[in-house]
Short mmCIF file of all heavy atoms in Angstrom, two decimals:
data_model
loop_
_atom_site.label_atom_id
_atom_site.label_comp_id
_atom_site.label_asym_id
_atom_site.label_seq_id
_atom_site.Cartn_x
_atom_site.Cartn_y
_atom_site.Cartn_z
N MET A 29 18.01 6.50 12.19
CA MET A 29 16.64 6.52 11.68
C MET A 29 15.75 5.96 12.83
O MET A 29 16.05 4.90 13.41
CB MET A 29 16.63 5.65 10.49
CG MET A 29 15.20 5.61 9.85
SD MET A 29 15.23 4.73 8.26
CE MET A 29 15.57 3.07 8.85
N GLN A 31 13.07 3.85 14.48
CA GLN A 31 12.46 2.56 14.21
C GLN A 31 11.60 2.09 15.41
O GLN A 31 11.84 2.52 16.55
CB GLN A 31 13.51 1.49 13.97
CG GLN A 31 14.32 1.72 12.62
CD GLN A 31 15.30 0.58 12.41
OE1 GLN A 31 15.87 0.04 13.34
NE2 GLN A 31 15.51 0.19 11.17
N TYR A 36 7.68 -10.73 16.95
CA TYR A 36 6.72 -11.58 16.26
C TYR A 36 7.07 -13.06 16.71
O TYR A 36 8.16 -13.52 16.54
CB TYR A 36 6.87 -11.52 14.73
CG TYR A 36 6.35 -10.21 14.24
CD1 TYR A 36 7.23 -9.11 14.11
CD2 TYR A 36 5.07 -10.02 13.84
CE1 TYR A 36 6.82 -7.90 13.60
CE2 TYR A 36 4.58 -8.82 13.36
CZ TYR A 36 5.48 -7.76 13.25
OH TYR A 36 5.00 -6.50 12.76
N TYR A 38 6.44 -16.93 16.12
CA TYR A 38 5.96 -17.88 15.10
C TYR A 38 5.81 -19.21 15.78
O TYR A 38 6.74 -19.72 16.41
CB TYR A 38 6.96 -17.97 13.92
CG TYR A 38 6.93 -16.76 13.07
CD1 TYR A 38 7.73 -15.66 13.38
CD2 TYR A 38 6.11 -16.68 11.98
CE1 TYR A 38 7.76 -14.54 12.63
CE2 TYR A 38 6.13 -15.50 11.17
CZ TYR A 38 6.95 -14.46 11.50
OH TYR A 38 6.97 -13.34 10.77
N VAL A 87 4.75 -12.34 -4.86
CA VAL A 87 4.87 -11.49 -3.71
C VAL A 87 6.26 -11.63 -3.10
O VAL A 87 6.92 -10.61 -2.77
CB VAL A 87 3.75 -11.85 -2.65
CG1 VAL A 87 4.03 -11.03 -1.43
CG2 VAL A 87 2.40 -11.62 -3.21
N HIS A 88 6.71 -12.84 -2.96
CA HIS A 88 8.06 -13.03 -2.34
C HIS A 88 9.14 -12.37 -3.26
O HIS A 88 10.06 -11.69 -2.77
CB HIS A 88 8.40 -14.47 -2.26
CG HIS A 88 9.85 -14.82 -2.30
ND1 HIS A 88 10.74 -14.42 -1.30
CD2 HIS A 88 10.66 -15.48 -3.21
CE1 HIS A 88 11.96 -14.74 -1.59
NE2 HIS A 88 11.89 -15.38 -2.77
N LEU A 89 8.97 -12.53 -4.56
CA LEU A 89 10.06 -11.98 -5.53
C LEU A 89 10.13 -10.45 -5.39
O LEU A 89 11.12 -9.85 -5.35
CB LEU A 89 9.71 -12.37 -6.91
CG LEU A 89 10.63 -11.82 -8.03
CD1 LEU A 89 12.02 -12.32 -7.86
CD2 LEU A 89 10.06 -12.17 -9.40
N LEU A 90 8.92 -9.78 -5.29
CA LEU A 90 8.84 -8.35 -5.26
C LEU A 90 9.39 -7.86 -3.93
O LEU A 90 10.18 -6.90 -3.84
CB LEU A 90 7.44 -7.86 -5.55
CG LEU A 90 7.18 -6.38 -5.85
CD1 LEU A 90 7.27 -5.51 -4.62
CD2 LEU A 90 8.11 -5.83 -6.94
N VAL A 91 8.94 -8.50 -2.92
CA VAL A 91 9.33 -8.07 -1.55
C VAL A 91 10.83 -8.20 -1.32
O VAL A 91 11.53 -7.37 -0.61
CB VAL A 91 8.59 -8.87 -0.44
CG1 VAL A 91 9.18 -8.65 0.93
CG2 VAL A 91 7.13 -8.38 -0.44
N GLY A 92 11.41 -9.17 -2.02
CA GLY A 92 12.87 -9.34 -1.91
C GLY A 92 13.72 -8.48 -2.87
O GLY A 92 14.97 -8.74 -2.95
N SER A 93 13.10 -7.66 -3.66
CA SER A 93 13.77 -6.86 -4.73
C SER A 93 14.12 -5.49 -4.22
O SER A 93 13.37 -4.94 -3.37
CB SER A 93 12.91 -6.78 -5.94
OG SER A 93 12.64 -8.08 -6.50
N ARG A 94 15.13 -4.90 -4.84
CA ARG A 94 15.51 -3.49 -4.55
C ARG A 94 15.71 -2.86 -5.88
O ARG A 94 16.58 -3.35 -6.65
CB ARG A 94 16.77 -3.41 -3.65
CG ARG A 94 17.22 -1.96 -3.51
CD ARG A 94 18.46 -1.90 -2.63
NE ARG A 94 18.19 -2.22 -1.25
CZ ARG A 94 17.75 -1.29 -0.35
NH1 ARG A 94 17.54 -0.04 -0.75
NH2 ARG A 94 17.53 -1.61 0.92
N PHE A 95 15.01 -1.75 -6.17
CA PHE A 95 15.13 -1.10 -7.50
C PHE A 95 15.94 0.20 -7.39
O PHE A 95 16.21 0.78 -8.45
CB PHE A 95 13.76 -0.80 -8.06
CG PHE A 95 12.92 -1.98 -8.24
CD1 PHE A 95 11.89 -2.33 -7.26
CD2 PHE A 95 13.17 -2.96 -9.26
CE1 PHE A 95 11.13 -3.50 -7.45
CE2 PHE A 95 12.40 -4.09 -9.38
CZ PHE A 95 11.35 -4.38 -8.47
N PHE A 96 16.34 0.57 -6.16
CA PHE A 96 17.12 1.83 -6.02
C PHE A 96 17.93 1.73 -4.78
O PHE A 96 17.45 1.34 -3.71
CB PHE A 96 16.20 3.01 -5.96
CG PHE A 96 16.90 4.33 -5.69
CD1 PHE A 96 17.62 4.95 -6.70
CD2 PHE A 96 16.82 4.92 -4.47
CE1 PHE A 96 18.33 6.13 -6.47
CE2 PHE A 96 17.52 6.09 -4.22
CZ PHE A 96 18.25 6.67 -5.20
N THR A 97 19.17 2.18 -4.92
CA THR A 97 20.11 2.30 -3.80
C THR A 97 20.65 3.66 -3.81
O THR A 97 21.30 4.12 -4.75
CB THR A 97 21.26 1.28 -3.91
OG1 THR A 97 20.73 -0.04 -3.95
CG2 THR A 97 22.12 1.34 -2.68
N VAL A 102 25.36 1.75 1.17
CA VAL A 102 25.33 0.35 0.89
C VAL A 102 23.97 -0.22 1.25
O VAL A 102 23.40 0.09 2.30
CB VAL A 102 26.41 -0.41 1.77
CG1 VAL A 102 26.34 -1.87 1.56
CG2 VAL A 102 27.78 0.20 1.47
N ALA A 103 23.39 -0.96 0.34
CA ALA A 103 22.06 -1.57 0.58
C ALA A 103 22.15 -2.45 1.77
O ALA A 103 22.97 -3.32 1.87
CB ALA A 103 21.64 -2.33 -0.64
N LYS A 104 21.25 -2.21 2.73
CA LYS A 104 21.18 -3.14 3.90
C LYS A 104 20.18 -4.24 3.65
O LYS A 104 19.34 -4.20 2.80
CB LYS A 104 20.72 -2.22 5.11
CG LYS A 104 21.69 -1.17 5.42
CD LYS A 104 21.24 -0.38 6.65
CE LYS A 104 22.23 0.69 7.05
NZ LYS A 104 21.75 1.55 8.25
N ALA A 105 20.30 -5.26 4.47
CA ALA A 105 19.38 -6.37 4.43
C ALA A 105 18.01 -5.86 4.74
O ALA A 105 17.76 -4.87 5.58
CB ALA A 105 19.71 -7.45 5.43
N VAL A 106 17.00 -6.44 4.07
CA VAL A 106 15.60 -6.01 4.27
C VAL A 106 15.18 -6.27 5.68
O VAL A 106 15.32 -7.43 6.19
CB VAL A 106 14.69 -6.75 3.29
CG1 VAL A 106 13.24 -6.27 3.45
CG2 VAL A 106 15.14 -6.55 1.86
N ALA A 107 14.78 -5.25 6.36
CA ALA A 107 14.43 -5.39 7.77
C ALA A 107 13.13 -6.19 7.96
O ALA A 107 12.96 -6.82 8.95
CB ALA A 107 14.28 -4.01 8.48
N LEU A 108 12.25 -6.02 7.07
CA LEU A 108 10.95 -6.75 7.13
C LEU A 108 10.68 -7.31 5.73
O LEU A 108 10.22 -6.66 4.89
CB LEU A 108 9.82 -5.88 7.60
CG LEU A 108 8.48 -6.52 7.74
CD1 LEU A 108 8.57 -7.59 8.79
CD2 LEU A 108 7.41 -5.53 8.03
N ALA A 109 11.03 -8.60 5.57
CA ALA A 109 10.80 -9.24 4.21
C ALA A 109 9.60 -10.14 4.22
O ALA A 109 9.37 -10.78 3.23
CB ALA A 109 12.02 -10.00 3.83
N ASP A 110 8.91 -10.26 5.34
CA ASP A 110 7.72 -11.08 5.37
C ASP A 110 6.48 -10.28 5.02
O ASP A 110 6.19 -9.29 5.59
CB ASP A 110 7.54 -11.65 6.76
CG ASP A 110 8.76 -12.52 7.13
OD1 ASP A 110 9.34 -13.05 6.31
OD2 ASP A 110 9.01 -12.60 8.41
N PRO A 111 5.71 -10.78 3.99
CA PRO A 111 4.51 -10.06 3.64
C PRO A 111 3.47 -10.00 4.77
O PRO A 111 3.50 -10.84 5.67
CB PRO A 111 4.00 -10.84 2.40
CG PRO A 111 5.16 -11.60 1.93
CD PRO A 111 5.98 -11.88 3.14
N VAL A 112 2.49 -9.13 4.57
CA VAL A 112 1.37 -8.98 5.57
C VAL A 112 0.23 -9.76 4.91
O VAL A 112 -0.08 -9.63 3.81
CB VAL A 112 1.01 -7.52 5.77
CG1 VAL A 112 -0.30 -7.44 6.52
CG2 VAL A 112 2.13 -6.81 6.49
N GLU A 123 0.14 -8.67 1.09
CA GLU A 123 0.71 -7.44 0.55
C GLU A 123 2.08 -7.16 1.16
O GLU A 123 2.44 -7.58 2.19
CB GLU A 123 -0.21 -6.21 0.88
CG GLU A 123 -0.58 -6.10 2.33
CD GLU A 123 -1.62 -5.00 2.57
OE1 GLU A 123 -1.67 -4.02 1.85
OE2 GLU A 123 -2.39 -5.19 3.53
N GLY A 124 2.85 -6.40 0.34
CA GLY A 124 4.20 -6.03 0.75
C GLY A 124 4.87 -5.02 -0.12
O GLY A 124 4.27 -4.61 -1.07
N PHE A 125 6.11 -4.67 0.17
CA PHE A 125 6.83 -3.64 -0.56
C PHE A 125 8.18 -4.20 -1.01
O PHE A 125 8.75 -5.04 -0.34
CB PHE A 125 7.09 -2.42 0.34
CG PHE A 125 5.92 -1.47 0.43
CD1 PHE A 125 5.10 -1.57 1.49
CD2 PHE A 125 5.69 -0.48 -0.52
CE1 PHE A 125 3.97 -0.73 1.60
CE2 PHE A 125 4.60 0.36 -0.44
CZ PHE A 125 3.75 0.27 0.64
N SER A 126 8.74 -3.57 -2.03
CA SER A 126 10.09 -3.85 -2.44
C SER A 126 10.98 -3.24 -1.30
O SER A 126 10.52 -2.37 -0.48
CB SER A 126 10.47 -3.14 -3.75
OG SER A 126 10.30 -1.77 -3.69
N ALA A 127 12.27 -3.61 -1.26
CA ALA A 127 13.18 -3.13 -0.23
C ALA A 127 13.35 -1.59 -0.19
O ALA A 127 13.56 -0.98 0.81
CB ALA A 127 14.53 -3.82 -0.31
N CYS A 128 13.25 -0.99 -1.41
CA CYS A 128 13.46 0.41 -1.53
C CYS A 128 12.08 1.19 -1.37
O CYS A 128 12.04 2.37 -1.41
CB CYS A 128 13.97 0.82 -2.92
SG CYS A 128 12.95 0.14 -4.36
N CYS A 129 10.97 0.45 -1.13
CA CYS A 129 9.69 1.01 -0.86
C CYS A 129 9.11 1.80 -2.11
O CYS A 129 8.17 2.60 -1.90
CB CYS A 129 9.69 1.92 0.33
SG CYS A 129 9.89 1.01 1.87
N SER A 130 9.65 1.56 -3.26
CA SER A 130 9.07 2.25 -4.43
C SER A 130 8.02 1.43 -5.18
O SER A 130 7.35 2.01 -6.03
CB SER A 130 10.25 2.51 -5.48
OG SER A 130 10.62 1.28 -6.09
N THR A 131 7.81 0.19 -4.80
CA THR A 131 6.88 -0.73 -5.38
C THR A 131 6.09 -1.52 -4.42
O THR A 131 6.71 -2.11 -3.55
CB THR A 131 7.61 -1.60 -6.41
OG1 THR A 131 8.48 -0.83 -7.19
CG2 THR A 131 6.58 -2.35 -7.35
N ASN A 153 1.88 -11.18 10.06
CA ASN A 153 3.03 -11.39 9.11
C ASN A 153 3.11 -12.93 8.88
O ASN A 153 3.01 -13.71 9.81
CB ASN A 153 4.26 -10.85 9.60
CG ASN A 153 4.44 -9.41 9.41
OD1 ASN A 153 3.60 -8.65 9.79
ND2 ASN A 153 5.62 -9.01 8.83
N ILE A 154 3.52 -13.32 7.67
CA ILE A 154 3.76 -14.70 7.33
C ILE A 154 5.25 -14.89 7.13
O ILE A 154 5.89 -14.01 6.57
CB ILE A 154 2.94 -15.23 6.23
CG1 ILE A 154 3.29 -14.54 4.86
CG2 ILE A 154 1.51 -15.18 6.55
CD1 ILE A 154 2.56 -15.09 3.69
N ASP A 155 5.79 -15.99 7.53
CA ASP A 155 7.23 -16.33 7.41
C ASP A 155 7.46 -16.97 6.09
O ASP A 155 7.13 -18.17 5.87
CB ASP A 155 7.62 -17.18 8.53
CG ASP A 155 9.08 -17.65 8.48
OD1 ASP A 155 9.84 -16.89 7.84
OD2 ASP A 155 9.37 -18.73 9.02
N PHE A 156 7.94 -16.23 5.12
CA PHE A 156 8.30 -16.75 3.76
C PHE A 156 9.76 -17.37 3.88
O PHE A 156 10.67 -16.73 3.40
CB PHE A 156 8.13 -15.71 2.72
CG PHE A 156 6.94 -15.81 1.93
CD1 PHE A 156 5.95 -16.64 2.17
CD2 PHE A 156 6.85 -14.96 0.78
CE1 PHE A 156 4.77 -16.67 1.43
CE2 PHE A 156 5.66 -14.98 0.02
CZ PHE A 156 4.69 -15.89 0.30
N ARG A 161 9.47 -21.54 -0.10
CA ARG A 161 9.47 -20.88 -1.41
C ARG A 161 9.88 -21.89 -2.46
O ARG A 161 9.42 -21.87 -3.60
CB ARG A 161 10.43 -19.70 -1.40
CG ARG A 161 10.04 -18.56 -0.48
CD ARG A 161 10.84 -17.31 -0.74
NE ARG A 161 12.29 -17.52 -0.49
CZ ARG A 161 12.95 -17.28 0.60
NH1 ARG A 161 12.25 -16.86 1.60
NH2 ARG A 161 14.21 -17.48 0.73
N LYS A 194 10.61 -14.55 16.48
CA LYS A 194 11.33 -13.72 15.43
C LYS A 194 11.17 -12.36 15.84
O LYS A 194 10.05 -11.81 15.82
CB LYS A 194 10.82 -14.05 14.04
CG LYS A 194 11.56 -13.25 12.95
CD LYS A 194 11.01 -13.63 11.60
CE LYS A 194 11.75 -12.89 10.50
NZ LYS A 194 11.24 -13.24 9.16
N LYS A 195 12.25 -11.68 16.09
CA LYS A 195 12.21 -10.25 16.46
C LYS A 195 12.49 -9.46 15.16
O LYS A 195 13.49 -9.61 14.49
CB LYS A 195 13.24 -9.84 17.50
CG LYS A 195 13.09 -8.45 17.98
CD LYS A 195 14.13 -8.17 19.12
CE LYS A 195 14.02 -6.74 19.57
NZ LYS A 195 14.98 -6.41 20.72
N VAL A 196 11.57 -8.54 14.85
CA VAL A 196 11.68 -7.75 13.68
C VAL A 196 11.83 -6.26 14.01
O VAL A 196 10.99 -5.71 14.74
CB VAL A 196 10.44 -7.98 12.76
CG1 VAL A 196 10.46 -7.18 11.47
CG2 VAL A 196 10.29 -9.41 12.39
N GLU A 197 12.78 -5.69 13.42
CA GLU A 197 12.90 -4.19 13.46
C GLU A 197 11.97 -3.64 12.31
O GLU A 197 12.29 -3.77 11.15
CB GLU A 197 14.32 -3.75 13.23
CG GLU A 197 15.29 -4.06 14.41
CD GLU A 197 14.96 -3.31 15.66
OE1 GLU A 197 14.48 -2.13 15.46
OE2 GLU A 197 15.18 -3.73 16.78
N LEU A 198 10.88 -3.03 12.75
CA LEU A 198 9.94 -2.55 11.74
C LEU A 198 10.30 -1.13 11.33
O LEU A 198 10.16 -0.17 12.09
CB LEU A 198 8.51 -2.54 12.42
CG LEU A 198 7.34 -2.72 11.55
CD1 LEU A 198 7.44 -4.08 10.75
CD2 LEU A 198 6.06 -2.72 12.30
N PRO A 199 10.94 -0.95 10.18
CA PRO A 199 11.40 0.36 9.72
C PRO A 199 10.26 1.42 9.62
O PRO A 199 9.19 1.11 9.16
CB PRO A 199 12.03 0.09 8.39
CG PRO A 199 12.21 -1.40 8.24
CD PRO A 199 11.09 -2.00 9.09
N LEU A 200 10.59 2.57 10.07
CA LEU A 200 9.68 3.71 10.04
C LEU A 200 9.23 3.96 8.56
O LEU A 200 8.10 4.17 8.28
CB LEU A 200 10.28 4.97 10.55
CG LEU A 200 9.48 6.26 10.45
CD1 LEU A 200 8.20 6.14 11.28
CD2 LEU A 200 10.28 7.43 10.96
N ARG A 201 10.14 3.84 7.61
CA ARG A 201 9.82 4.09 6.21
C ARG A 201 8.92 3.09 5.64
O ARG A 201 8.12 3.35 4.71
CB ARG A 201 11.14 4.24 5.39
CG ARG A 201 11.92 2.94 5.29
CD ARG A 201 13.28 3.24 4.70
NE ARG A 201 13.26 3.95 3.49
CZ ARG A 201 13.30 3.37 2.32
NH1 ARG A 201 13.27 2.06 2.24
NH2 ARG A 201 13.30 4.06 1.18
N TRP A 202 8.96 1.82 6.13
CA TRP A 202 8.05 0.79 5.61
C TRP A 202 6.61 1.05 6.12
O TRP A 202 5.66 0.93 5.33
CB TRP A 202 8.58 -0.55 6.16
CG TRP A 202 7.99 -1.74 5.43
CD1 TRP A 202 8.48 -2.43 4.37
CD2 TRP A 202 6.81 -2.49 5.76
NE1 TRP A 202 7.67 -3.46 4.01
CE2 TRP A 202 6.66 -3.51 4.87
CE3 TRP A 202 5.82 -2.28 6.82
CZ2 TRP A 202 5.58 -4.39 4.95
CZ3 TRP A 202 4.76 -3.18 6.80
CH2 TRP A 202 4.63 -4.25 5.89
N LEU A 203 6.50 1.47 7.37
CA LEU A 203 5.21 1.79 7.87
C LEU A 203 4.59 2.98 7.19
O LEU A 203 3.46 3.05 6.81
CB LEU A 203 5.27 2.05 9.37
CG LEU A 203 5.73 0.85 10.22
CD1 LEU A 203 5.90 1.29 11.65
CD2 LEU A 203 4.76 -0.29 10.13
N SER A 205 5.26 3.93 4.21
CA SER A 205 4.86 3.53 2.81
C SER A 205 3.47 2.91 2.81
O SER A 205 2.71 3.16 1.86
CB SER A 205 5.90 2.54 2.32
OG SER A 205 7.17 3.11 2.24
#
Side-chain angles (χ1 to χ4, degrees):
M29 181 175 67
Q31 293 183 325
Y36 290 90
Y38 291 87
V87 174
H88 155 66
L89 178 63
L90 193 285
V91 167
S93 298
R94 175 181 288 275
F95 302 103
F96 175 74
T97 301
V102 178
K104 297 180 180 180
V106 182
L108 181 64
D110 298 334
V112 171
E123 56 186 327
F125 281 94
S126 62
C128 57
C129 290
S130 73
T131 310
N153 277 54
I154 62 173
D155 176 25
F156 256 9
R161 296 193 300 266
K194 182 178 181 181
K195 185 177 181 179
V196 178
E197 290 290 330
L198 210 56
L200 176 63
R201 65 194 306 267
W202 197 91
L203 298 175
S205 297

